[in-house]
Amino acid sequence: MGILGSRVPRVEDPRLLTHGGTYCADVGDRRLAGAVHATYVRSTVAHARLLAVDVDAARTFPGVVDAVVGDDVDLAPIPGWFNPAMTRTHLARDRVRFAGEPLAVVLTERPDQGEDAAEAVAVEYEPLPALVDPIAALSTDVRLFPEVGTNLVCEFGAPPGDGPNALDDCEVVVRQRLVNQRVAACPLEVRSSAAAWVDGRLHAWCSTQNPHGVRGALAGLYGLDEADVAVVAPDVGGGFGAKIDLHPEDLLLPWLSRRCGRPVRWVETRSENLQAMVQGRAQVQDVAIGGRRDGTIEAYQLSIVQDAGAYPTMGAYLPMMTRSMAAGTYGIPVVEAHARVVVTTTPPIGAYRGAGRPEATAAIERAVDLFAAEVDMDPAEVRRCNLLSRFDQPVTTPTGETYDCGDYPAALERALAAAGYDELRAEQRRRRRRGDHVALGIGIAAYVEVTAGPSGGSEFARVEVRPRVDADGPDGVDVVVATGSSPHGQGLDTAFAMVVADGLGVPIERIEVRHGDTDAIPRGAGTMGSRSLQLGGSAVRGAAIDVVHRARKVAAELLEAALDDVELDAAAGTFRVIGTPAVTRTWADVAAAADRQGTPLAADHDFQVAHPTYPFGVHVAVVEVDTETGDVRLVRLVACDDAGRILNPLLAHGQRHGGLAQGAAQALYEHVAFDALGNPMTATFADYPIVSAAELPSFELVDLETPTWVNALGAKGIGESGTIGSTPAVHNAVCDALAHIGVRHIDMPCTPATVWRAIRETGRMSTSGP
Amino acid sequence: MKITLSVNGEERSADVEPRRLLVHLLRDDLGLTGTNVGCDTSSCGACTVLMDGESVKSCTVLAAQADGHEVTTIEGLAALAPARAAVGAGEASGDGDASALHPMQQAFHEQHGLQCGFCTPGMVMAAVSLLAENPHPTEAEVRLGLEGNLCRCTGYHNIVRSVLAAAGELPKSEEVPA
């Protein structure tokens, strides 16, 4: 197998470690010379009629080139997803619908001048009632879009009717309302973009996960051919889903540039980012789970209210993913899921690592633990009873999802063994018997998730082999790989170079991977949804195979042999006639010959597959809860994750670590909060409890590889799995720690205040007892 | 006001407003864009540099405060390396030049301590300062010591390993990246 499957340190690292990456704010392109800087002015109230926005005073400030308000902007408003009438203008006009919504912009020679001028913009509001509770949004008279007449964006599926349903026949039924709280993506690099018009073409630089998508969006908005739009994604400092789509602030830059006749650059502040970048999760979930006293689960119902924020965008779509993955890893005969999406006077919701699937897993895994408590069975045992058995052929769930392959029982047994589950339960019993005020909690979560969802997809790659000549003469070959994927930390340069090195037998140091430039790469689908290794990697593999085929033709001529008799010895990187291994031609020979013929060794490949893949796993969390203070400490997080064949364990483990941290953070710390007036309470890093190294343990990873039949690499996605299993594992652990004193359920995040209050509400101060 | 300071061993002068932050001086006036701005409440540490050998958050230092001092940024770290560690054979160096790395940079590379790279310059400088103060830290001391440096990509697991590796504190059996 060679290089695939081995721990190759990243080719991306040296530059990032020495010079530092070139992120959008660092770009020094000559086409941005003389750029003005945009500073947005934002609403300080959550919901109001906008009576006046006065930029006259701001215009007098030093360095101000222009100041623009909503009524100046003549761009087509952005239609709401699933409810086009819920439109959003790029700058608010008559109405603001969330605190932080942009309503004016000043252009200045220097960024710091923009900060000063923006403060001088005078806004007159007529406040309207705020709406921050998505459940209240269903019944309140407060309307974000009075002309639409409802706060309901859309509905997926049908609610359980009043008539008989599967739960009625169950011996045991447990119901619970769960809150999967709103969180912020918090990429370390905030949003940033730039625009310049050059010779009738629009050039845009953007901290994005999807440069070709950005090209299409800008072409559409500005009525341009895609050939007249050039987008560059420079180094991107994290995305996590929130940088898939452009925000209005990005979309407006070309308009501003055209208006003032100069390039425009924009870099937001963290406070702006925490107010106005799309946020994640925000579902209220009513679960009902029913079954028999022997632990068999017979029916599961999930009813979702999705908060879309003020303007429905991708967040309105995500409950479809939640519904499709609602059944989880279990063979439950009846699974019904229903979702309603509403608007509230809060920032719009978008994709955030997992994008709809963590919500599905969090719901069913909490429900399974509640069911286990009701039937007085160990939660591991209940899972054992209900997990789907190992399958290599597709299995279709009651929600219509067709899983490719999986071995959920193996993941459960490996995770439990690695955690030392029986000893943990014994330690828990010991602490309870002696009345230890520090309770031990053990939480399990089994998950399956969909990657390259909802229905597979495509990706483009080009591989080109060129002869290299240095001062001393021919010196092997250089290989250039172009991909439509757009990595922002995933290490795809390394992974794709490995795929090509494996296919061609060219050393990895000679392989350069390029991405993020729509002028250089004709098409692409970006990096999101854990799609890039399986789709982008398969495209790279396909292009490499095509190049080898072309090379063999040239080699056959050089070797004066029939094509079918010529093979590539990938281990040696040479071409030879089968049966006479001593006679070879190198890649350099072949590339030079191809050059002379005027047919360079290059191949484009569009990989397409109609089926997503389904990675899975089991996470086990161990927490200590101080029942006197409510303090929760995550002591251990054991994660068994199966993403099919792993090409580079270093990269795969890194992705898992990052997901585990974000998932644990949601269970214990992070929450985007608003007061009753819709004022953001967590709009800086001083208030938003983004998790740090001090709150987390080192993770314990358990490997499992069940290759998928969906692509030749055998690879599924891994990027989001960590987030999906860890949140309910940690959440279940906290609830488990307090079960013996009568706490049935605590909502996330399980902060000390929340935990302490739940303990006090049981009225049982004592922590002794079995 | 006019200030003069040593940046990565080179004397630099600038005329700055009193309110100018050191991070903006470094990035915008001196073109050293390796140091990044990640927040506006001095919480994230992406702006961490060394001032007279000690880590500071350059977003919370006025340029004027750096007058007469020595500042080291990520771009100047390799020059501080006591014993040079070269990028290993068989590893592409991206830029095509196999320049020597500071042991902390080398450790981050070997232990996969970076993903998107945005927090990395600040994280590396903070780690260098941490080890200067505490050459043989425990894992808990590393985690607490890096509390002021946020990362969203790595989950901190390999960052902690990188620092322990640089300190020679990783057990031999665990030196292979986890």
Side-chain angles (χ1 to χ4, degrees):
Chain A
M1 192 166 70
I3 198 173
L4 295 184
S6 58
R7 291 182 172 81
V8 177
R10 299 194 332 164
V11 305
E12 295 90 331
D13 287 353
R15 184 175 60 86
L16 296 173
L17 283 165
T18 54
H19 174 267
T22 302
Y23 305 92
C24 201
D26 306 330
V27 169
D29 196 287
R30 56 175 172 77
R31 289 166 290 199
L32 291 173
V36 295
H37 296 268
T39 303
Y40 282 94
V41 182
R42 300 178 181 277
S43 172
T44 55
V45 298
H47 196 198
R49 284 193 194 90
L50 212 49
L51 299 178
V53 181
D54 186 350
V55 295
D56 288 346
R59 284 180 180 281
T60 68
F61 272 61
V64 173
V65 169
D66 203 351
V68 173
V69 301
D71 288 339
D72 296 329
V73 179
D74 57 358
L75 288 173
I78 306 160
W81 288 40
F82 297 97
N83 199 319
M86 296 181 171
T87 58
R88 179 173 183 178
T89 50
H90 298 77
L91 294 175
R93 281 185 186 164
D94 319 299
R95 201 161 173 128
V96 291
R97 295 182 174 86
F98 70 96
E101 179 171 1
L103 45 77
V105 58
V106 296
L107 301 180
T108 52
E109 299 285 353
R110 292 192 333 248
D112 56 285
Q113 295 168 327
E115 283 183 57
D116 294 336
E119 283 176 16
V121 173
V123 186
E124 212 182 312
Y125 305 96
E126 183 188 307
L128 294 168
L131 178 59
V132 296
D133 176 2
I135 300 296
L138 291 166
S139 57
T140 181
D141 291 332
V142 176
R143 295 272 179 275
L144 273 75
F145 301 91
E147 63 284 6
V148 175
T150 175
N151 295 321
L152 184 70
V153 177
C154 60
E155 200 157 349
F156 301 120
D162 291 329
N165 68 58
L167 289 168
D168 297 338
D169 298 326
C170 298
E171 280 186 294
V172 175
V173 177
V174 180
R175 298 175 191 275
Q176 181 68 46
R177 169 161 286 186
L178 307 170
V179 177
N180 198 298
Q181 82 276 27
R182 178 186 291 248
V183 292
C186 300
L188 258 288
E189 186 206 4
V190 296
R191 293 175 298 169
S192 179
S193 50
W197 295 89
V198 181
D199 299 331
R201 294 185 83 223
L202 170 59
H203 291 258
W205 291 257
C206 194
S207 184
T208 179
Q209 300 176 225
N210 188 6
H212 292 91
V214 167
R215 181 179 68 178
L218 291 176
L221 181 61
Y222 290 96
L224 301 167
D225 279 343
E226 286 199 2
D228 287 327
V229 180
V231 178
V232 167
D235 288 318
V236 173
F240 310 110
K243 291 181 180 175
I244 291 173
D245 290 328
L246 293 182
H247 289 74
E249 295 97 322
D250 306 293
L251 290 166
L252 190 59
L253 291 193
W255 186 91
L256 293 169
S257 177
R258 205 162 49 186
R259 174 181 165 108
C260 74
R262 291 168 65 175
V264 181
R265 305 186 75 143
W266 173 59
V267 184
E268 66 175 347
T269 66
R270 178 61 61 181
S271 298
E272 292 181 88
N273 180 270
L274 287 169
Q275 289 176 63
M277 177 185 232
V278 289
Q279 297 174 341
R281 309 286 185 260
Q283 285 186 4
V284 179
Q285 304 167 325
D286 288 319
V287 296
I289 185 165
R292 300 202 293 268
R293 293 225 158 263
D294 69 0
T296 310
I297 301 170
E298 295 170 316
Y300 172 64
Q301 281 172 357
L302 171 63
S303 208
I304 299 162
V305 175
Q306 170 75 59
D307 185 349
Y311 298 99
T313 179
M314 196 182 302
Y317 162 74
L318 298 179
M320 286 183 78
M321 302 290 266
T322 312
R323 286 183 73 222
S324 66
M325 297 306 293
T329 51
Y330 306 105
I332 304 170
V334 178
V335 176
E336 290 158 352
H338 159 254
R340 285 172 291 180
V341 181
V342 298
V343 287
T344 62
T345 57
T346 60
I349 294 288
Y352 170 57
R353 202 163 196 168
R357 291 98 70 197
E359 295 88 319
T361 300
I364 194 164
E365 288 309 290
R366 191 71 205 110
V368 166
D369 260 32
L370 287 164
F371 179 81
E374 187 65 29
V375 299
D376 201 25
M377 275 178 70
D378 185 309
E381 194 52 38
V382 170
R383 286 175 172 84
R384 260 189 213 103
C385 292
N386 290 283
L387 285 179
L388 288 168
S389 313
R390 181 197 165 107
F391 60 101
D392 300 307
Q393 295 304 307
V395 160
T396 302
T397 73
T399 59
E401 205 70 4
T402 301
Y403 300 164
D404 55 350
C405 61
D407 191 353
Y408 310 147
L412 178 65
E413 298 315 324
R414 285 196 189 197
L416 292 175
Y421 186 70
D422 294 338
E423 175 48 36
L424 289 167
R425 285 292 178 204
E427 171 62 18
Q428 185 182 55
R429 283 192 295 273
R430 283 193 291 271
R431 292 195 191 198
R432 287 173 174 175
R433 266 199 298 272
R434 63 178 185 248
D436 200 326
H437 74 95
V438 178
L440 194 73
I442 306 131
I444 305 167
Y447 76 88
V448 58
E449 91 108 336
V450 56
T451 59
S455 50
S458 63
E459 194 48 269
F460 166 85
R462 167 179 294 153
V463 172
E464 186 170 346
V465 181
R466 305 167 180 163
R468 176 200 270 211
V469 180
D470 69 10
D472 301 320
D475 181 31
V477 292
D478 286 322
V479 182
V480 176
V481 180
T483 172
S485 295
S486 199
H488 38 282
Q490 293 84 351
L492 294 176
D493 294 28
T494 305
F496 291 177
M498 290 170 68
V499 170
V500 172
D502 181 70
L504 267 52
V506 172
I508 200 170
E509 307 81 65
R510 289 300 182 89
I511 302 170
E512 182 197 341
V513 177
R514 297 182 184 166
H515 48 78
D517 184 340
T518 65
D519 268 359
I521 301 167
R523 51 194 170 275
T527 291
M528 65 197 74
S530 305
R531 74 193 314 274
S532 292
L533 186 68
Q534 54 187 310
L535 300 183
S538 294
V540 168
R541 177 180 175 277
I545 289 170
D546 293 346
V547 164
V548 168
H549 183 73
R550 283 168 200 253
R552 279 177 55 237
K553 283 195 209 171
V554 174
E557 287 169 30
L558 294 178
L559 291 164
E560 295 176 338
L563 175 60
D564 287 345
D565 294 335
V566 173
E567 66 179 1
L568 168 69
D569 176 2
T574 56
F575 296 87
R576 63 189 178 193
V577 177
I578 298 169
T580 53
V583 182
T584 62
R585 291 292 183 275
T586 64
W587 269 106
D589 297 330
V590 172
D595 242 26
R596 284 192 297 273
Q597 291 171 9
T599 54
L601 293 179
D604 289 357
H605 192 96
D606 289 283
F607 178 77
Q608 204 153 332
V609 68
H611 207 282
T613 55
Y614 297 84
F616 61 93
V618 172
H619 293 179
V620 178
V622 182
V623 301
E624 283 184 329
V625 180
D626 187 327
T627 55
E628 290 174 359
T629 64
D631 191 47
V632 179
R633 199 165 68 87
L634 178 62
V635 177
R636 293 176 65 196
L637 187 49
V638 177
C640 179
D641 301 297
D642 187 320
R645 185 157 165 240
I646 298 298
L647 265 63
N648 184 332
L650 200 63
L651 302 179
H653 288 183
Q655 288 300 302
R656 290 161 72 182
H657 295 155
L660 290 170
Q662 288 175 315
Q666 179 176 6
L668 297 179
Y669 306 110
E670 295 186 21
H671 181 198
V672 175
F674 303 91
D675 69 11
L677 297 175
N679 293 311
M681 309 300 289
T682 51
T684 73
F685 270 171
D687 302 303
Y688 185 82
I690 178 175
V691 73
S692 79
E695 282 92 46
L696 296 169
S698 286
F699 307 115
E700 299 164 59
L701 300 190
V702 179
D703 293 336
L704 187 63
E705 289 188 26
T706 310
T708 181
W709 46 262
V710 173
N711 59 68
L713 290 172
K716 310 186 186 187
I718 190 63
E720 292 159 286
S721 297
T723 329
I724 292 169
S726 58
T727 302
V730 176
H731 189 197
N732 279 342
V734 177
C735 296
D736 178 73
L738 303 172
H740 67 298
I741 58 173
V743 173
R744 185 172 168 281
H745 178 76
I746 299 178
D747 268 329
M748 302 189 292
C750 302
T751 61
T754 303
V755 170
W756 188 89
R757 228 175 276 121
I759 294 171
R760 291 302 170 272
E761 275 165 16
T762 66
R764 291 164 58 176
M765 299 289 287
S766 167
T767 57
S768 60
Chain B
M1 53 186 296
K2 293 207 190 316
I3 60 170
T4 302
L5 63 158
S6 163
V7 180
N8 297 332
E10 222 184 296
E11 189 174 280
R12 310 295 297 262
S13 293
D15 193 359
V16 300
E17 285 184 48
R19 64 173 178 169
R20 192 129 179 91
L21 300 176
L22 177 59
V23 67
H24 292 138
L25 174 80
L26 294 171
R27 286 179 50 80
D28 302 331
D29 300 338
L30 302 183
L32 295 165
T33 57
T35 305
N36 292 318
V37 173
C39 77
D40 47 13
T41 46
S42 60
S43 309
C44 79
C47 65
T48 307
V49 298
L50 302 181
M51 193 152 90
D52 301 334
E54 200 173 342
S55 61
V56 296
K57 290 186 172 178
S58 62
C59 71
T60 320
V61 175
L62 298 170
Q65 287 176 285
D67 184 33
H69 291 270
E70 286 181 13
V71 172
T72 311
T73 71
I74 190 72
E75 291 95 334
L77 182 62
L80 288 190
R84 295 202 159 206
V87 175
E91 295 163 14
S93 61
D95 286 348
D97 99 291
S99 46
L101 296 179
H102 186 281
M104 186 63 72
Q105 291 165 318
Q106 184 68 19
F108 269 70
H109 176 53
E110 285 168 3
Q111 299 299 327
H112 187 34
L114 63 151
Q115 292 184 23
C116 83
F118 195 84
C119 78
T120 305
M123 190 71 72
V124 167
M125 302 313 279
V128 166
S129 187
L130 190 160
L131 287 193
E133 279 180 46
N134 183 357
H136 300 287
T138 62
E139 174 174 339
E141 287 169 336
V142 172
R143 287 184 175 277
L144 205 57
L146 292 180
E147 194 178 28
N149 286 78
L150 300 176
C151 171
R152 202 51 159 172
C153 294
T154 67
Y156 305 103
H157 183 111
N158 282 345
I159 289 176
V160 172
R161 287 183 60 86
S162 300
V163 180
L164 291 174
E169 294 296 320
L170 271 191
K172 271 260 176 270
S173 61
E174 288 183 28
E175 273 174 13
V176 174

